[in-house]
Amino acid sequence: MLETIWFILWGVLWAVYFMLDGFDLGLGTLLPVLSKNETDRRIIYNSMGPFWDGNEVWLITAGGATFAAFPVAYAVMFNGLYSALLLLLFALIIRGVCFEFRNKIDSDGWRGLWDAAMVIGSFLPALLLGVAFANIFEGLPIDQDGVFQGGLFTLLNPYGLAGGVLFVLLFLVHGSLWLALKSEGALQQRAGAMAKKLWPVLLVVAVLFLAFTLVATDLFNNYFKMPVLWILPLIAVLALLGTFVFIRQAAWLKAWLSSAVTILFVTFFGVAGLFPRLLPSSLNPAYSITIQNGAASQLTLKIMLVVALIMVPIVIAYQLWVYLFLGNKVTEKDLAYEEAY
Amino acid sequence: MDVLMLSRLQFAVATMFHFLFVPLTLGLSILTAIYETMYVKTGDEDYKRAAKFWGKLFLINFALGVVTGITLEFQFGTNWSSYSKYVGDIFGSLLAIEATLAFYLESTFIGVWIFTWNKVKPKTHALFIWLVAIASNISALWILIANGWMQHPVGYTMRNGRAELVDFWAVITNKFAVLEFMHTVSGAYILAGFFVMGVCGYHLLRKNEVQFFKKSFNVAVTFALVFALFEAFNGHLHGAEVAETQPAKLAAMESHWETASSVPMYLLQIPDPANERNSVQAIPIPGMLSMLAHHDPSATVKGLKDFPASERPPVTLTFWSFRLMVGLGFLFILIAGLGWLKRNDIENQAGLLKLFIYAIPLPYLALELGWAVAEVGRQPWIVYGLMKTADAVSILDVSQVAISLTAFVVFYSILGLIDFYLLSKYARKGPVH
C-alpha cells in the first residue's frame, strides 16, 4: 500500500517538475528566435528570473524521492543512464549560472556567450529528459543484477528520440506561452505566433508518439486492464486541444494553464502505464525494478510520507503565492530596476 | 586508474569545489540578513546599501553553490550505486527531507528577495532574506546528518541484505552529526566574517566609503570572533567524539602509532607511514592527547598499529590536513581578536587592514582541510565500520568516468575562475550610491 502511494507521489513529483521547469527550459531554447534585441532578451531572462530556481528544486526532490522511496530504482537508473544524466547535469549547471553571470560584464561578446549557454543548457535537458523517460517506458536493457547493458547510444533508439522530440515540443509551446503571458507588444506577438506555429507540429508528434507507444511499449496493458485510467490520456488530449483554442483567442493565461495540464497528464499517462514497475527491463520482465523489489523499508516510506504530506502542500502554497505575487508582465520599466537580470 | 579511483577523485573534485561556495552562502546570507535587519531597526540607509552590496556578492557566490550541489545528489546514484542500494533506505530519505524542508524555501525566496526591494515593506523584505538564510542553514543540518550517519551509523539494522532504518530519532539526534554540523557551520560563519573583513580592509585602506565599511566591518568582526572562539570549543568536542567513534581516524589525525596511556601531544611531528612511525617527534605536552581525546590525562589512546593495515586511513594526508586546520583555527581567533580590539580605529590600522585582505583565502583552506580530515580520515570505509568504499562503487566503464571527471575539472575550473573574478570585481567596485 505504502509502495503504491509512493509510486503515485513519484509520478506526481516528476510531472510537476516537467510542468514547471518545462516553460523555462522551452523559453530558454527559444531565446534567440523570439528576441530581436537586448531589451527583448532581458525581458525573457527576467520573465523566468524569480521562478526558475524554485522550479528546478522539483527535479532535486524527484531525484531525492526516488532515492529515498525506491533506492534500488535510483541506483539502477542513475548508474545505467550515467552519460545521459551527467550531460543533463552539465547543461543545468551552465544554464543556472547564466542568470547571474550574464549581466555582470558589460560586453556583447560576454552576453552572447551566456545566451548560447542558455540555449544549449535549456535544449539539452528538455531533449534528454524526454529520451530518458521514453526509454524507461519501453524498458531499459537491465539484467538480473540491475546492471545496464548498453551505453548513451542505446538510449538514442527511435522511440527514445521520439520521446525527446515530444518533450522539446511540449516545452517550446509551454515556454512561448509563458512569454506571451509575461510580455507585451511585439515580443508578446512573436511569442504567441510561435506557440501557434508550433502547436500543429506538437499535435502531429503527439499522435505519432501515442501510436508508437502502442507498438514499442506495453504501457497500454494497464489501460486495458483498468479502463478508468483512460481518463488520464483523455485529459491530456483535451488539454492539448484546449491549448490551441486559447491560443487562437489570445487568452494566454488559459493557454499556458492548459499547456501545463497537458504536460502533467502526458507524464501521468506514461507513469500509470508503468505501474507497478519503475524501470521495466527490456531483457526479461522478471528483471524489472518494481515497487516491490525496489522500495525502501516500511518505516522509511512511512516517515517520508508524513514529511511529504506536511511539506509538499506548504511548498505548493508558497510557490503559488510567488507566482501570483510576481505574476505581472515584465516591461521595459522593470528592466530599470537595480536588481533585474 | 580504475573506476573506483576515478570515481573517488570525481567525488572529491565535486565536493571540494561545491564547498568553495557553500560556506560563504551559509555565512553571508546571515550577515546580509543582519545588515538588512539593522536597516529596518535604525532606518540608516548605509545598512540598506550594505544589504544590497553584500547581497550582490552573496548572489554571485550562491549561483555556483546551487548548481554544483545537484552534482553531489546525482553522484550517489551514478558513481556509487552499490552504496545507494545498500544504505539508500536511510541516506536517501535524509537527502529527500533536506530538499522538501529547506531547499525549496531557499531557492524560492532567493528569487523573491531579489525582485521585491520596492514591492514590499522593508520589514517583509528583510523576512525574505532571513528565510533564505535559515533555509540554507537547515539544508546544511540535514546534509550533515546524512554525512554524520556515514561517519557514525546509528538507528539501523541489517535486513534484506541492506541497512534499514529502525530508529529515525536516533539518526537525526546522532551526536556525531550534531557536532559535525556545529563545527561546519561555525567554520562557514568564520569564512563569511573574514570575507567581509577582507573586502572592508581593501576599501578602508583606500579611504573609500569609510563610514559604510566601518559599519559592515563591526558586525563582521564580531561575528567572526564569536564563531572563531566557539569553533575552538566545539572542535575539541568534535575531536573527542571522533576518538570515541572512529579511533582509527583519531590515530591518523595525530599520527599516533602505539597504543598507550598518558599519551603526550607533540607540537613538532612528521609522520613516516612506510615505517609505521614518526620521523620527527619533539616538544611533547605530557598527557595532552589523552586529555583531549578522553578528558583524562592518563587515558589510553589506541594507536594505528592496533588496526590492520587495510583498515587504516591514509596517515600523511589526514595528519597534515588536521594539523593545518587546527593551526589556522587558532590564527583566526588571533586575527579576529586583533580586529575586534581595534575596531573603533580600524581605518587607521593599515597593517591590520592588509592582513585582513590576505587572510580571505585562509578560512577557505581550513574548511577544505576539514573535509579532507572527515572524508579521507574515514577511509577505507564509506560508512564507518559498515561498508568499504571499494564495495560501494557503480558498475561503469573506465572511459565513462575518465571523460566525466575530465569534463568536471575543465568545466569547474572555468566556472570557478569566472565566479571568483566576478566576486573580486564587484567587491572592489564597492556599494552603489
Side-chain angles (χ1 to χ4, degrees):
Chain A
M1 185 60 200
L2 271 171
E3 289 87 349
T4 307
I5 295 173
W6 266 106
F7 182 87
I8 295 168
L9 273 172
W10 178 76
V12 169
L13 288 171
W14 282 106
V16 173
Y17 169 65
F18 295 144
M19 172 185 82
L20 291 179
D21 218 20
F23 79 76
D24 55 58
L25 292 176
L27 187 51
T29 309
L30 289 172
L31 175 71
V33 187
L34 291 174
S35 61
K36 289 269 180 276
N37 52 42
E38 175 61 12
T39 306
D40 288 351
R41 281 188 284 277
R42 286 194 62 204
I43 288 178
I44 292 177
Y45 275 99
N46 283 287
S47 76
M48 304 183 263
F51 311 109
W52 72 273
D53 196 1
N55 293 348
E56 216 169 282
V57 183
W58 287 90
L59 172 68
I60 312 290
T61 312
T66 314
F67 197 174
F70 304 105
V72 181
Y74 177 79
V76 171
M77 177 176 166
F78 277 65
N79 187 352
L81 306 183
Y82 187 88
S83 304
L85 282 169
L86 284 178
L87 218 50
L88 170 71
L89 185 67
F90 285 121
L92 290 175
I93 288 175
I94 57 165
R95 179 177 197 279
V97 295
C98 282
F99 287 92
E100 202 50 49
F101 284 3
R102 185 182 184 276
N103 66 352
K104 290 291 184 294
I105 293 179
D106 189 12
S107 129
D108 288 338
W110 176 258
R111 281 187 288 264
L113 179 76
W114 292 106
D115 290 341
M118 173 55 76
V119 174
I120 297 167
S122 302
F123 171 74
L124 263 185
L127 181 74
L128 288 168
L129 288 164
V131 169
F133 269 78
N135 271 279
I136 290 174
F137 294 162
E138 67 177 332
L140 297 167
I142 40 182
D143 66 15
Q144 65 270 40
D145 299 317
V147 179
F148 183 79
Q149 303 292 338
L152 180 59
F153 296 102
T154 318
L155 303 178
L156 300 180
N157 55 68
Y159 184 72
L161 287 171
V165 174
L166 176 70
F167 264 51
V168 169
L169 281 166
L170 278 168
F171 291 179
L172 291 183
V173 170
H174 204 38
S176 313
L177 290 172
W178 179 257
L179 185 62
L181 181 62
K182 292 282 285 180
S183 62
E184 48 186 32
L187 185 60
Q188 182 184 36
Q189 276 178 5
R190 274 202 299 280
M194 177 61 75
K196 202 168 177 177
K197 226 177 352 188
L198 286 172
W199 188 87
V201 188
L202 171 61
L203 180 71
V204 172
V205 170
V207 170
L208 289 176
F209 183 79
L210 214 59
F212 205 168
T213 301
L214 190 60
V215 184
T217 76
D218 54 12
L219 290 190
F220 281 104
N221 288 0
N222 279 350
Y223 291 85
F224 294 122
K225 261 187 279 177
M226 210 175 148
V228 64
L229 288 177
W230 284 104
I231 189 92
L232 301 174
L234 187 68
I235 293 176
V237 169
L238 288 177
L240 182 60
L241 296 174
T243 307
F244 191 64
V245 173
F246 295 129
I247 290 174
R248 286 183 60 112
Q249 295 170 357
W252 304 122
L253 177 62
K254 285 181 190 162
W256 185 81
L257 288 173
S258 212
S259 159
V261 173
T262 311
I263 295 174
L264 275 182
F265 280 83
V266 165
T267 315
F268 291 155
F269 158 70
V271 171
L274 278 177
F275 186 82
R277 302 159 304 172
L278 294 140
L279 302 172
S281 168
S282 58
L283 302 179
N284 182 340
Y287 301 160
S288 298
I289 309 296
T290 68
I291 62 167
Q292 283 90 30
N293 66 15
S297 69
Q298 293 294 307
L299 180 60
T300 295
L301 291 176
K302 219 178 287 173
I303 290 170
M304 291 303 302
L305 186 61
V306 172
V307 173
L309 288 181
I310 297 171
M311 288 315 297
V312 173
I314 295 177
V315 170
I316 291 175
Y318 64 64
Q319 287 207 339
L320 190 64
W321 172 78
V322 173
Y323 272 89
L324 295 174
F325 185 61
L326 297 175
N328 56 306
K329 285 187 187 298
V330 181
T331 61
E332 263 183 81
K333 207 179 87 215
D334 295 303
L335 299 184
Y337 175 64
E338 201 184 320
E339 267 75 25
Y341 286 121
Chain B
M1 282 226 245
D2 57 2
V3 170
L4 173 65
M5 200 56 211
L6 288 169
S7 292
R8 286 183 65 186
L9 272 177
Q10 183 168 303
F11 203 88
V13 167
T15 310
M16 297 184 95
F17 188 76
H18 180 56
F19 222 69
L20 284 177
F21 305 97
V22 172
L24 192 60
T25 296
L26 293 174
L28 200 52
S29 60
I30 294 181
L31 282 171
T32 305
I34 292 175
Y35 293 133
E36 197 169 343
T37 307
M38 290 174 81
Y39 164 63
V40 173
K41 291 260 180 273
T42 64
D44 182 344
E45 284 289 324
D46 270 352
Y47 285 118
K48 183 179 181 183
R49 290 167 67 218
K52 286 201 171 194
F53 173 66
W54 300 109
K56 179 168 254 162
L57 300 181
F58 166 76
L59 288 173
I60 293 171
N61 170 76
F62 183 79
L64 263 191
V66 171
V67 292
T68 54
I70 312 175
T71 308
L72 295 185
E73 191 202 30
F74 273 35
Q75 297 258 305
F76 290 111
T78 52
N79 293 70
W80 304 98
S81 64
S82 298
Y83 167 82
S84 297
K85 271 187 222 174
Y86 198 63
V87 302
D89 195 55
I90 299 149
F91 191 84
S93 59
L94 298 172
L95 293 197
I97 292 174
E98 184 259 343
T100 40
L101 223 58
F103 201 27
Y104 275 118
L105 197 62
E106 179 185 9
S107 301
T108 307
F109 281 94
I110 191 74
V112 177
W113 184 72
I114 297 172
F115 281 91
T116 56
W117 276 100
N118 48 16
K119 277 200 169 78
V120 294
K121 278 186 271 178
K123 217 175 181 168
T124 316
H125 195 261
L127 172 72
F128 295 152
I129 190 71
W130 275 114
L131 285 176
V132 173
I134 292 166
S136 318
N137 283 275
I138 294 177
S139 204
L141 173 66
W142 286 92
I143 293 301
L144 287 163
I145 289 175
N147 185 269
W149 191 83
M150 296 169 78
Q151 304 286 353
H152 179 52
V154 292
Y156 71 97
T157 185
M158 293 309 299
R159 200 191 292 147
N160 304 320
R162 63 178 179 183
E164 291 196 352
L165 183 67
V166 287
D167 187 349
F168 185 64
W169 185 246
V171 171
I172 62 173
T173 56
N174 185 357
K175 190 175 163 202
F176 196 106
V178 174
L179 289 166
E180 196 181 15
F181 168 71
M182 287 202 299
H183 194 58
T184 311
V185 292
S186 301
Y189 302 158
I190 298 170
L191 182 144
F194 271 65
F195 179 86
V196 172
M197 285 158 61
V199 175
C200 289
Y202 175 87
H203 288 282
L204 289 173
L205 263 180
R206 286 159 182 76
K207 302 285 180 233
N208 177 31
E209 293 260 14
V210 172
Q211 282 317 308
F212 174 89
F213 282 106
K214 270 190 88 171
K215 287 176 190 168
S216 286
F217 179 83
N218 269 336
V219 176
V221 76
T222 312
F223 191 71
L225 180 61
V226 167
F227 286 103
L229 289 168
F230 182 56
E231 190 73 324
F233 168 70
N234 76 45
H236 160 64
L237 293 182
H238 191 31
E241 179 70 10
V242 169
E244 294 299 323
T245 55
Q246 300 183 321
K249 181 192 272 182
L250 184 90
M253 281 155 65
E254 298 289 355
S255 190
H256 172 55
W257 294 96
E258 310 280 349
T259 300
S261 52
S262 303
V263 186
M265 172 176 273
Y266 296 96
L267 292 182
L268 210 61
Q269 199 175 343
I270 297 175
D272 176 13
N275 298 306
E276 303 197 329
R277 65 187 185 101
N278 297 320
S279 51
V280 176
Q281 195 164 279
I283 325 179
I285 307 173
M288 191 63 176
L289 182 54
S290 293
M291 182 67 197
L292 285 175
H294 302 291
H295 299 121
D296 170 7
S298 58
T300 304
V301 181
K302 226 173 151 184
L304 283 161
K305 284 186 181 174
D306 266 14
F307 300 93
S310 64
E311 291 187 6
R312 292 178 203 164
V315 176
T316 308
L317 187 54
T318 311
F319 171 82
W320 284 114
S321 299
F322 180 65
R323 278 269 151 137
L324 211 49
M325 174 188 75
V326 173
L328 286 168
F330 284 108
L331 187 62
F332 299 152
I333 297 178
L334 185 72
I335 295 176
L338 280 174
W340 192 78
L341 289 173
K342 301 277 184 193
R343 68 191 182 285
N344 292 326
D345 184 40
I346 199 68
E347 68 272 31
N348 298 317
Q349 307 287 332
L352 260 184
L353 294 174
K354 267 186 210 147
L355 176 65
F356 296 148
I357 301 174
Y358 292 116
I360 292 178
L362 298 181
Y364 283 90
L365 179 64
L367 280 150
E368 296 287 353
L369 291 170
W371 273 110
V373 175
E375 300 294 282
V376 176
R378 195 191 55 230
Q379 302 302 324
W381 304 98
I382 189 165
V383 182
Y384 196 79
L386 185 64
M387 185 185 212
K388 292 229 168 122
T389 310
D391 301 324
V393 75
S394 290
I395 296 168
L396 293 164
D397 287 334
V398 172
S399 63
Q400 282 179 296
V401 193
I403 292 170
S404 62
L405 174 59
T406 313
F408 270 116
V409 171
V410 172
F411 246 110
Y412 276 8
S413 305
I414 296 171
L415 292 179
L417 284 175
I418 294 174
D419 205 78
F420 280 115
Y421 167 74
L422 290 177
L423 266 180
S424 121
K425 176 182 155 155
Y426 279 87
R428 282 165 208 257
K429 207 169 152 190
V432 178
H433 290 280

